[in-house]
mmCIF file of all heavy atoms in Angstrom:
data_model
loop_
_atom_site.group_PDB
_atom_site.id
_atom_site.type_symbol
_atom_site.label_atom_id
_atom_site.label_comp_id
_atom_site.label_asym_id
_atom_site.label_seq_id
_atom_site.Cartn_x
_atom_site.Cartn_y
_atom_site.Cartn_z
ATOM 1 N N GLU R 65 13.465 -12.046 14.871
ATOM 2 C CA GLU R 65 13.145 -13.063 15.883
ATOM 3 C C GLU R 65 12.188 -14.106 15.327
ATOM 4 O O GLU R 65 12.132 -15.229 15.825
ATOM 5 C CB GLU R 65 12.564 -12.423 17.121
ATOM 6 C CG GLU R 65 13.550 -11.508 17.870
ATOM 7 C CD GLU R 65 12.926 -10.850 19.072
ATOM 8 O OE1 GLU R 65 11.718 -11.063 19.327
ATOM 9 O OE2 GLU R 65 13.676 -10.160 19.818
ATOM 10 N N SER R 66 11.445 -13.759 14.324
ATOM 11 C CA SER R 66 10.360 -14.661 13.850
ATOM 12 C C SER R 66 10.597 -15.268 12.478
ATOM 13 O O SER R 66 9.891 -16.197 12.081
ATOM 14 C CB SER R 66 9.018 -13.861 13.817
ATOM 15 O OG SER R 66 9.085 -12.799 12.891
ATOM 16 N N THR R 67 11.593 -14.788 11.729
ATOM 17 C CA THR R 67 11.855 -15.318 10.401
ATOM 18 C C THR R 67 13.324 -15.718 10.269
ATOM 19 O O THR R 67 14.135 -15.419 11.141
ATOM 20 C CB THR R 67 11.547 -14.279 9.267
ATOM 21 O OG1 THR R 67 12.634 -13.387 9.128
ATOM 22 C CG2 THR R 67 10.250 -13.485 9.552
ATOM 23 N N GLN R 68 13.620 -16.340 9.133
ATOM 24 C CA GLN R 68 15.014 -16.748 8.872
ATOM 25 C C GLN R 68 15.729 -15.724 7.995
ATOM 26 O O GLN R 68 16.837 -15.961 7.533
ATOM 27 C CB GLN R 68 14.988 -18.104 8.119
ATOM 28 C CG GLN R 68 14.324 -19.216 8.886
ATOM 29 C CD GLN R 68 14.993 -19.494 10.219
ATOM 30 O OE1 GLN R 68 16.229 -19.683 10.270
ATOM 31 N NE2 GLN R 68 14.233 -19.546 11.287
ATOM 32 N N ASP R 69 15.098 -14.549 7.791
ATOM 33 C CA ASP R 69 15.617 -13.599 6.812
ATOM 34 C C ASP R 69 16.177 -12.335 7.413
ATOM 35 O O ASP R 69 16.145 -11.285 6.788
ATOM 36 C CB ASP R 69 14.491 -13.269 5.828
ATOM 37 C CG ASP R 69 13.944 -14.520 5.126
ATOM 38 O OD1 ASP R 69 14.759 -15.453 4.891
ATOM 39 O OD2 ASP R 69 12.773 -14.560 4.812
ATOM 40 N N CYS R 70 16.695 -12.403 8.622
ATOM 41 C CA CYS R 70 17.188 -11.219 9.313
ATOM 42 C C CYS R 70 18.225 -10.439 8.509
ATOM 43 O O CYS R 70 18.296 -9.223 8.568
ATOM 44 C CB CYS R 70 17.771 -11.592 10.680
ATOM 45 S SG CYS R 70 18.254 -10.194 11.695
ATOM 46 N N ALA R 71 19.005 -11.161 7.723
ATOM 47 C CA ALA R 71 20.086 -10.498 6.941
ATOM 48 C C ALA R 71 19.547 -9.476 5.960
ATOM 49 O O ALA R 71 20.286 -8.608 5.507
ATOM 50 C CB ALA R 71 20.894 -11.561 6.206
ATOM 51 N N ALA R 72 18.220 -9.566 5.664
ATOM 52 C CA ALA R 72 17.635 -8.621 4.678
ATOM 53 C C ALA R 72 16.541 -7.760 5.338
ATOM 54 O O ALA R 72 15.794 -7.084 4.636
ATOM 55 C CB ALA R 72 17.034 -9.387 3.503
ATOM 56 N N ILE R 73 16.458 -7.761 6.672
ATOM 57 C CA ILE R 73 15.443 -6.984 7.386
ATOM 58 C C ILE R 73 16.114 -5.871 8.192
ATOM 59 O O ILE R 73 16.839 -6.147 9.145
ATOM 60 C CB ILE R 73 14.602 -7.885 8.310
ATOM 61 C CG1 ILE R 73 13.849 -8.936 7.471
ATOM 62 C CG2 ILE R 73 13.619 -7.041 9.119
ATOM 63 C CD1 ILE R 73 13.108 -9.968 8.289
ATOM 64 N N ILE R 74 15.904 -4.629 7.767
ATOM 65 C CA ILE R 74 16.545 -3.501 8.400
ATOM 66 C C ILE R 74 15.982 -3.289 9.813
ATOM 67 O O ILE R 74 16.678 -3.078 10.772
ATOM 68 C CB ILE R 74 16.379 -2.219 7.564
ATOM 69 C CG1 ILE R 74 16.985 -2.400 6.187
ATOM 70 C CG2 ILE R 74 17.016 -1.027 8.275
ATOM 71 C CD1 ILE R 74 16.686 -1.277 5.220
ATOM 72 N N THR R 75 14.640 -3.358 9.922
ATOM 73 C CA THR R 75 13.949 -3.223 11.196
ATOM 74 C C THR R 75 12.530 -3.742 10.983
ATOM 75 O O THR R 75 12.159 -4.225 9.886
ATOM 76 C CB THR R 75 13.934 -1.778 11.708
ATOM 77 O OG1 THR R 75 13.393 -1.722 13.053
ATOM 78 C CG2 THR R 75 13.121 -0.873 10.828
ATOM 79 N N THR R 76 11.716 -3.653 12.012
ATOM 80 C CA THR R 76 10.302 -4.060 11.945
ATOM 81 C C THR R 76 9.429 -3.005 12.563
ATOM 82 O O THR R 76 9.770 -2.443 13.615
ATOM 83 C CB THR R 76 10.098 -5.391 12.722
ATOM 84 O OG1 THR R 76 10.869 -6.412 12.128
ATOM 85 C CG2 THR R 76 8.637 -5.787 12.713
ATOM 86 N N VAL R 77 8.306 -2.694 11.903
ATOM 87 C CA VAL R 77 7.266 -1.843 12.516
ATOM 88 C C VAL R 77 6.455 -2.728 13.415
ATOM 89 O O VAL R 77 5.639 -3.508 12.919
ATOM 90 C CB VAL R 77 6.396 -1.194 11.438
ATOM 91 C CG1 VAL R 77 5.338 -0.318 12.060
ATOM 92 C CG2 VAL R 77 7.248 -0.389 10.448
ATOM 93 N N GLU R 78 6.722 -2.668 14.706
ATOM 94 C CA GLU R 78 6.097 -3.602 15.661
ATOM 95 C C GLU R 78 4.796 -3.100 16.240
ATOM 96 O O GLU R 78 4.642 -1.905 16.547
ATOM 97 C CB GLU R 78 7.062 -3.862 16.801
ATOM 98 C CG GLU R 78 8.269 -4.690 16.442
ATOM 99 C CD GLU R 78 9.064 -5.074 17.685
ATOM 100 O OE1 GLU R 78 9.575 -4.140 18.366
ATOM 101 O OE2 GLU R 78 9.192 -6.281 17.970
ATOM 102 N N LYS R 79 3.895 -4.031 16.434
ATOM 103 C CA LYS R 79 2.746 -3.847 17.299
ATOM 104 C C LYS R 79 3.022 -4.636 18.570
ATOM 105 O O LYS R 79 3.401 -5.791 18.490
ATOM 106 C CB LYS R 79 1.453 -4.443 16.685
ATOM 107 C CG LYS R 79 0.955 -3.818 15.422
ATOM 108 C CD LYS R 79 -0.291 -4.574 14.997
ATOM 109 C CE LYS R 79 -0.796 -4.103 13.670
ATOM 110 N NZ LYS R 79 -1.926 -4.936 13.181
ATOM 111 N N ASN R 80 2.836 -4.002 19.700
ATOM 112 C CA ASN R 80 3.115 -4.727 20.958
ATOM 113 C C ASN R 80 1.865 -5.519 21.347
ATOM 114 O O ASN R 80 1.259 -5.324 22.394
ATOM 115 C CB ASN R 80 3.491 -3.773 22.065
ATOM 116 C CG ASN R 80 4.139 -4.490 23.251
ATOM 117 O OD1 ASN R 80 4.151 -5.699 23.289
ATOM 118 N ND2 ASN R 80 4.689 -3.728 24.148
ATOM 119 N N ILE R 81 1.498 -6.429 20.457
ATOM 120 C CA ILE R 81 0.311 -7.272 20.676
ATOM 121 C C ILE R 81 0.490 -8.160 21.923
ATOM 122 O O ILE R 81 -0.442 -8.317 22.735
ATOM 123 C CB ILE R 81 -0.010 -8.120 19.447
ATOM 124 C CG1 ILE R 81 -0.437 -7.204 18.296
ATOM 125 C CG2 ILE R 81 -1.121 -9.123 19.727
ATOM 126 C CD1 ILE R 81 -0.621 -7.920 16.968
ATOM 127 N N PRO R 82 1.674 -8.769 22.114
ATOM 128 C CA PRO R 82 1.804 -9.662 23.281
ATOM 129 C C PRO R 82 1.465 -8.975 24.598
ATOM 130 O O PRO R 82 0.756 -9.542 25.423
ATOM 131 C CB PRO R 82 3.297 -10.053 23.222
ATOM 132 C CG PRO R 82 3.636 -10.013 21.775
ATOM 133 C CD PRO R 82 2.884 -8.818 21.270
ATOM 134 N N ASP R 83 1.981 -7.771 24.829
ATOM 135 C CA ASP R 83 1.704 -7.090 26.088
ATOM 136 C C ASP R 83 0.249 -6.734 26.221
ATOM 137 O O ASP R 83 -0.329 -6.779 27.303
ATOM 138 C CB ASP R 83 2.593 -5.838 26.227
ATOM 139 C CG ASP R 83 3.997 -6.199 26.686
ATOM 140 O OD1 ASP R 83 4.292 -7.362 26.920
ATOM 141 O OD2 ASP R 83 4.817 -5.232 26.824
ATOM 142 N N ALA R 84 -0.368 -6.297 25.124
ATOM 143 C CA ALA R 84 -1.772 -5.899 25.154
ATOM 144 C C ALA R 84 -2.652 -7.089 25.514
ATOM 145 O O ALA R 84 -3.549 -6.993 26.343
ATOM 146 C CB ALA R 84 -2.186 -5.302 23.815
ATOM 147 N N VAL R 85 -2.382 -8.242 24.869
ATOM 148 C CA VAL R 85 -3.147 -9.456 25.126
ATOM 149 C C VAL R 85 -2.910 -9.973 26.559
ATOM 150 O O VAL R 85 -3.847 -10.295 27.276
ATOM 151 C CB VAL R 85 -2.804 -10.554 24.102
ATOM 152 C CG1 VAL R 85 -3.417 -11.893 24.511
ATOM 153 C CG2 VAL R 85 -3.334 -10.129 22.727
ATOM 154 N N LYS R 86 -1.634 -9.971 26.942
ATOM 155 C CA LYS R 86 -1.302 -10.439 28.297
ATOM 156 C C LYS R 86 -2.046 -9.615 29.348
ATOM 157 O O LYS R 86 -2.655 -10.155 30.281
ATOM 158 C CB LYS R 86 0.207 -10.337 28.519
ATOM 159 C CG LYS R 86 0.633 -10.639 29.963
ATOM 160 C CD LYS R 86 2.095 -10.338 30.173
ATOM 161 C CE LYS R 86 2.455 -10.513 31.657
ATOM 162 N NZ LYS R 86 3.876 -10.131 31.905
ATOM 163 N N GLU R 87 -1.944 -8.284 29.201
ATOM 164 C CA GLU R 87 -2.556 -7.401 30.208
ATOM 165 C C GLU R 87 -4.069 -7.616 30.280
ATOM 166 O O GLU R 87 -4.638 -7.695 31.360
ATOM 167 C CB GLU R 87 -2.274 -5.952 29.829
ATOM 168 C CG GLU R 87 -2.864 -4.937 30.812
ATOM 169 C CD GLU R 87 -2.593 -3.524 30.427
ATOM 170 O OE1 GLU R 87 -2.429 -3.245 29.223
ATOM 171 O OE2 GLU R 87 -2.551 -2.658 31.315
ATOM 172 N N ALA R 88 -4.702 -7.770 29.137
ATOM 173 C CA ALA R 88 -6.148 -7.942 29.116
ATOM 174 C C ALA R 88 -6.565 -9.259 29.787
ATOM 175 O O ALA R 88 -7.482 -9.265 30.627
ATOM 176 C CB ALA R 88 -6.669 -7.925 27.664
ATOM 177 N N VAL R 89 -5.881 -10.330 29.461
ATOM 178 C CA VAL R 89 -6.249 -11.630 30.020
ATOM 179 C C VAL R 89 -5.953 -11.723 31.517
ATOM 180 O O VAL R 89 -6.751 -12.233 32.302
ATOM 181 C CB VAL R 89 -5.554 -12.769 29.233
ATOM 182 C CG1 VAL R 89 -5.799 -14.117 29.911
ATOM 183 C CG2 VAL R 89 -6.007 -12.781 27.800
ATOM 184 N N VAL R 90 -4.817 -11.196 31.919
ATOM 185 C CA VAL R 90 -4.457 -11.199 33.350
ATOM 186 C C VAL R 90 -5.455 -10.412 34.157
ATOM 187 O O VAL R 90 -5.918 -10.821 35.238
ATOM 188 C CB VAL R 90 -3.037 -10.686 33.572
ATOM 189 C CG1 VAL R 90 -2.766 -10.444 35.044
ATOM 190 C CG2 VAL R 90 -2.009 -11.687 33.024
ATOM 191 N N LYS R 91 -5.852 -9.226 33.639
ATOM 192 C CA LYS R 91 -6.843 -8.404 34.296
ATOM 193 C C LYS R 91 -8.199 -9.147 34.405
ATOM 194 O O LYS R 91 -8.848 -9.154 35.442
ATOM 195 C CB LYS R 91 -7.048 -7.070 33.593
ATOM 196 C CG LYS R 91 -5.923 -6.064 33.831
ATOM 197 C CD LYS R 91 -6.229 -4.763 33.088
ATOM 198 C CE LYS R 91 -5.193 -3.713 33.421
ATOM 199 N NZ LYS R 91 -5.483 -2.429 32.700
ATOM 200 N N ALA R 92 -8.619 -9.736 33.296
ATOM 201 C CA ALA R 92 -9.914 -10.424 33.262
ATOM 202 C C ALA R 92 -9.890 -11.631 34.227
ATOM 203 O O ALA R 92 -10.872 -11.881 34.910
ATOM 204 C CB ALA R 92 -10.218 -10.880 31.843
ATOM 205 N N ALA R 93 -8.771 -12.346 34.235
ATOM 206 C CA ALA R 93 -8.647 -13.527 35.127
ATOM 207 C C ALA R 93 -8.678 -13.069 36.598
ATOM 208 O O ALA R 93 -9.106 -13.826 37.487
ATOM 209 C CB ALA R 93 -7.357 -14.271 34.828
ATOM 210 N N GLY R 94 -8.231 -11.836 36.837
ATOM 211 C CA GLY R 94 -8.260 -11.318 38.198
ATOM 212 C C GLY R 94 -9.601 -10.716 38.608
ATOM 213 O O GLY R 94 -9.729 -10.159 39.704
ATOM 214 N N GLY R 95 -10.563 -10.815 37.702
ATOM 215 C CA GLY R 95 -11.912 -10.346 38.033
ATOM 216 C C GLY R 95 -12.211 -8.943 37.586
ATOM 217 O O GLY R 95 -13.298 -8.395 37.867
ATOM 218 N N GLU R 96 -11.258 -8.296 36.870
ATOM 219 C CA GLU R 96 -11.487 -6.908 36.445
ATOM 220 C C GLU R 96 -12.357 -6.882 35.192
ATOM 221 O O GLU R 96 -12.202 -7.674 34.285
ATOM 222 C CB GLU R 96 -10.127 -6.244 36.142
ATOM 223 C CG GLU R 96 -10.242 -4.770 35.819
ATOM 224 C CD GLU R 96 -8.890 -4.101 35.730
ATOM 225 O OE1 GLU R 96 -7.942 -4.554 36.402
ATOM 226 O OE2 GLU R 96 -8.776 -3.098 35.004
ATOM 227 N N LYS R 97 -13.301 -5.978 35.169
ATOM 228 C CA LYS R 97 -14.161 -5.772 34.014
ATOM 229 C C LYS R 97 -13.391 -5.057 32.906
ATOM 230 O O LYS R 97 -12.773 -4.023 33.142
ATOM 231 C CB LYS R 97 -15.385 -4.931 34.405
ATOM 232 C CG LYS R 97 -16.295 -4.516 33.264
ATOM 233 C CD LYS R 97 -16.992 -5.666 32.620
ATOM 234 C CE LYS R 97 -17.985 -5.190 31.560
ATOM 235 N NZ LYS R 97 -18.606 -6.317 30.814
ATOM 236 N N LEU R 98 -13.403 -5.632 31.727
ATOM 237 C CA LEU R 98 -12.746 -5.038 30.576
ATOM 238 C C LEU R 98 -13.748 -4.173 29.807
ATOM 239 O O LEU R 98 -14.743 -4.718 29.319
ATOM 240 C CB LEU R 98 -12.143 -6.107 29.658
ATOM 241 C CG LEU R 98 -11.043 -6.985 30.250
ATOM 242 C CD1 LEU R 98 -10.616 -8.023 29.240
ATOM 243 C CD2 LEU R 98 -9.862 -6.176 30.720
ATOM 244 N N SER R 99 -13.467 -2.905 29.694
ATOM 245 C CA SER R 99 -14.413 -1.992 29.048
ATOM 246 C C SER R 99 -14.178 -1.926 27.543
ATOM 247 O O SER R 99 -13.049 -1.805 27.077
ATOM 248 C CB SER R 99 -14.268 -0.597 29.657
ATOM 249 O OG SER R 99 -15.086 0.333 28.980
ATOM 250 N N ALA R 100 -15.281 -2.020 26.798
ATOM 251 C CA ALA R 100 -15.200 -1.918 25.372
ATOM 252 C C ALA R 100 -14.808 -0.509 24.898
ATOM 253 O O ALA R 100 -14.302 -0.319 23.817
ATOM 254 C CB ALA R 100 -16.509 -2.317 24.708
ATOM 255 N N THR R 101 -15.090 0.447 25.750
ATOM 256 C CA THR R 101 -14.736 1.836 25.472
ATOM 257 C C THR R 101 -13.926 2.419 26.629
ATOM 258 O O THR R 101 -14.389 2.379 27.778
ATOM 259 C CB THR R 101 -16.025 2.696 25.286
ATOM 260 O OG1 THR R 101 -16.818 2.122 24.270
ATOM 261 C CG2 THR R 101 -15.692 4.130 24.911
ATOM 262 N N PRO R 102 -12.744 2.885 26.418
ATOM 263 C CA PRO R 102 -12.097 3.065 25.094
ATOM 264 C C PRO R 102 -11.365 1.833 24.594
ATOM 265 O O PRO R 102 -10.902 1.832 23.450
ATOM 266 C CB PRO R 102 -11.109 4.200 25.339
ATOM 267 C CG PRO R 102 -10.656 3.950 26.778
ATOM 268 C CD PRO R 102 -11.884 3.468 27.499
ATOM 269 N N GLY R 103 -11.234 0.786 25.401
ATOM 270 C CA GLY R 103 -10.428 -0.353 24.991
ATOM 271 C C GLY R 103 -8.949 -0.010 25.068
ATOM 272 O O GLY R 103 -8.555 0.853 25.846
ATOM 273 N N TYR R 104 -8.159 -0.670 24.249
ATOM 274 C CA TYR R 104 -6.716 -0.411 24.282
ATOM 275 C C TYR R 104 -6.284 0.162 22.936
ATOM 276 O O TYR R 104 -6.658 -0.351 21.873
ATOM 277 C CB TYR R 104 -5.934 -1.722 24.531
ATOM 278 C CG TYR R 104 -4.464 -1.560 24.364
ATOM 279 C CD1 TYR R 104 -3.646 -1.049 25.398
ATOM 280 C CD2 TYR R 104 -3.793 -1.874 23.154
ATOM 281 C CE1 TYR R 104 -2.269 -0.877 25.247
ATOM 282 C CE2 TYR R 104 -2.440 -1.713 22.980
ATOM 283 C CZ TYR R 104 -1.684 -1.201 24.036
ATOM 284 O OH TYR R 104 -0.326 -1.025 23.893
ATOM 285 N N LEU R 105 -5.488 1.216 22.962
ATOM 286 C CA LEU R 105 -4.918 1.811 21.751
ATOM 287 C C LEU R 105 -3.411 1.961 21.958
ATOM 288 O O LEU R 105 -2.961 2.766 22.760
ATOM 289 C CB LEU R 105 -5.548 3.176 21.448
ATOM 290 C CG LEU R 105 -4.950 3.900 20.233
ATOM 291 C CD1 LEU R 105 -5.103 3.054 18.961
ATOM 292 C CD2 LEU R 105 -5.616 5.267 20.049
ATOM 293 N N GLY R 106 -2.656 1.174 21.216
ATOM 294 C CA GLY R 106 -1.212 1.248 21.286
ATOM 295 C C GLY R 106 -0.653 2.295 20.359
ATOM 296 O O GLY R 106 -1.064 2.406 19.187
#
């Protein structure tokens, strides 16, 4: 999805960074306190 070289890419080891960032920002915008511990571990 991100490069022009799909024909040579078998798969990708993905980090679901988009969902982690989205969730954090939406929660913070809603007034929720984001705790440094434990934080998020995908």
Side-chain angles (χ1 to χ4, degrees):
E65 296 179 355
S66 62
T67 81
Q68 301 299 310
D69 302 327
C70 185
I73 298 174
I74 301 171
T75 187
T76 298
V77 180
E78 289 187 298
K79 295 178 184 175
N80 196 351
I81 295 173
D83 279 359
V85 170
K86 174 189 174 182
E87 180 181 27
V89 174
V90 169
K91 283 182 176 179
E96 186 171 331
K97 172 68 175 175
L98 298 177
S99 175
T101 304
Y104 172 83
L105 176 59

